[in-house]
Amino acid sequence: KTVDNLVDFRQHILTIDGCACRAEGAESTVNAQVFQDSHAVFVGNYLVVHDPYNNKQRLINIAGDIAGLRCQTNSNFGEWKASAGVNRGVLKSGARLVFNPTQPQRDIMYAHNINPVIAMHDVGNVMWGNRTMARLDDDFLSMHIRSMTNMLVRGSNYTLQQFVMENVNTYSMHSVVASLSPLFNSVKAGGGLLDYYIVCDYTNNSDESMMNNELYVDVYFRPTGVAEYICLRMNNTGSETIASVVEREQLRQPGAQVHPMNH
């Protein structure tokens, strides 16, 4: 029942002008901009804390703890890391969860972009999801990609300030690329990017745009994913030796070549 209520609540959440709100239908959002917001995160649990002054169990919104995990991850590990899992997603101790979702329940929640928080033995309460409220086909569905992109935008904007009011020519365009590259190189070295490409030349800056005092910079980047699902496959080789299994698996690798044996 708890998971059903979470899914029902999630399906009725609309994001209006950047603020999430509860709505029962499109008619209640007339004259408002409704869109899927990849900056928002839905976490499906509450904390239960004992109030010793009134001797009551009180429900505490978990949003502050999740925001703290994100800030701690950004500061200690990098904006491109997921603030979830046993390495970076453990909440402060001292509170228990309203419920501890099972694996099937977590699968249902995650299919609706609801991030579970689970209680793990000898670990504590752990954030067990990495999704924003974006659509499943959105490039910013993953929280770590949104966080990294925000950081790259902030850093790029700061770097590009030095080129405001400068003449637009080949030298300045080359300087833009050279100035932005260290930021993206550092993220790539940290494991956040597989690759990137910065374009600022005459291919994306026409004579008309330059006469309008505009300078265009296009950045293409390919982020790394995180292991939200780990598929462990146990294979009993039976009478087949491990050496033959290794040889067969190596031949399946892209670009593998078969070297015939000499008789």
Side-chain angles (χ1 to χ4, degrees):
K1 185 63 176 178
T2 301
V3 174
D4 292 339
N5 291 337
L6 284 169
V7 172
D8 178 69
F9 187 84
R10 169 66 183 89
Q11 290 177 334
H12 286 82
I13 285 182
L14 300 178
T15 308
I16 304 175
D17 294 333
C19 299
C21 69
R22 177 80 170 175
E24 297 301 331
E27 64 278 359
S28 62
T29 61
V30 177
N31 298 324
Q33 182 182 9
V34 181
F35 58 94
Q36 295 291 335
D37 194 351
S38 64
H39 292 76
V41 175
F42 191 109
V43 181
N45 222 319
Y46 262 78
L47 297 175
V48 181
V49 178
H50 180 253
D51 179 1
Y53 299 101
N54 299 285
N55 194 27
K56 292 182 178 180
Q57 300 293 329
R58 299 195 180 275
L59 297 182
I60 305 298
N61 194 304
I62 207 169
D65 295 75
I66 301 305
L69 289 178
R70 185 67 257 172
C71 294
Q72 180 176 276
T73 298
N74 290 351
S75 176
N76 297 340
F77 302 98
E79 288 84 344
W80 51 89
K81 295 289 188 178
S83 53
V86 296
N87 293 321
R88 294 177 300 276
V90 181
L91 280 65
K92 291 194 304 181
S93 58
R96 65 179 178 86
L97 299 174
V98 168
F99 82 114
N100 190 21
T102 62
Q103 181 65 61
Q105 290 174 329
R106 296 199 298 266
D107 291 341
I108 295 173
M109 294 167 66
Y110 218 50
H112 293 84
N113 292 7
I114 301 173
N115 295 301
V117 177
I118 64 175
M120 299 185 67
H121 182 65
D122 291 336
V123 176
N125 299 330
V126 184
M127 174 73 162
W128 208 246
N130 183 51
R131 286 186 177 176
T132 66
M133 291 175 62
R135 299 181 308 272
L136 292 177
D137 59 347
D138 196 301
D139 291 335
F140 297 99
L141 174 65
S142 297
M143 192 192 315
H144 76 288
I145 294 180
R146 167 51 66 191
S147 177
M148 178 190 68
T149 304
N150 291 345
M151 181 273 291
L152 290 173
V153 170
R154 291 194 305 269
S156 298
N157 286 340
Y158 178 80
T159 299
L160 292 175
Q161 288 179 0
Q162 62 184 301
F163 298 100
V164 176
M165 301 302 171
E166 295 299 317
N167 295 94
V168 178
N169 51 39
T170 302
Y171 174 78
S172 62
M173 289 189 286
H174 287 175
S175 298
V176 164
V177 176
S179 298
L180 288 177
S181 294
L183 170 64
F184 288 84
N185 282 334
S186 64
V187 177
K188 182 177 180 180
L193 293 175
L194 293 174
D195 206 357
Y196 73 91
Y197 180 50
I198 303 173
V199 183
C200 184
D201 53 29
Y202 292 106
T203 62
N204 59 339
N205 286 277
S206 63
D207 292 338
E208 181 180 0
S209 64
M210 289 187 288
M211 291 304 297
N212 289 331
N213 301 314
E214 298 170 341
L215 179 63
Y216 287 92
V217 183
D218 293 316
V219 179
Y220 303 87
F221 63 90
R222 186 183 176 194
T224 56
V226 299
E228 293 184 355
Y229 302 93
I230 297 181
C231 304
L232 177 63
R233 298 183 291 193
M234 305 293 289
N235 299 280
N236 185 344
T237 64
S239 60
E240 185 179 11
T241 65
I242 297 298
S244 62
V245 172
V246 171
E247 182 180 3
R248 184 180 69 248
E249 292 301 317
Q250 288 177 343
L251 291 177
R252 291 180 180 178
Q253 299 299 320
Q257 297 181 357
V258 179
H259 300 282
M261 297 180 61
N262 295 322
H263 296 282

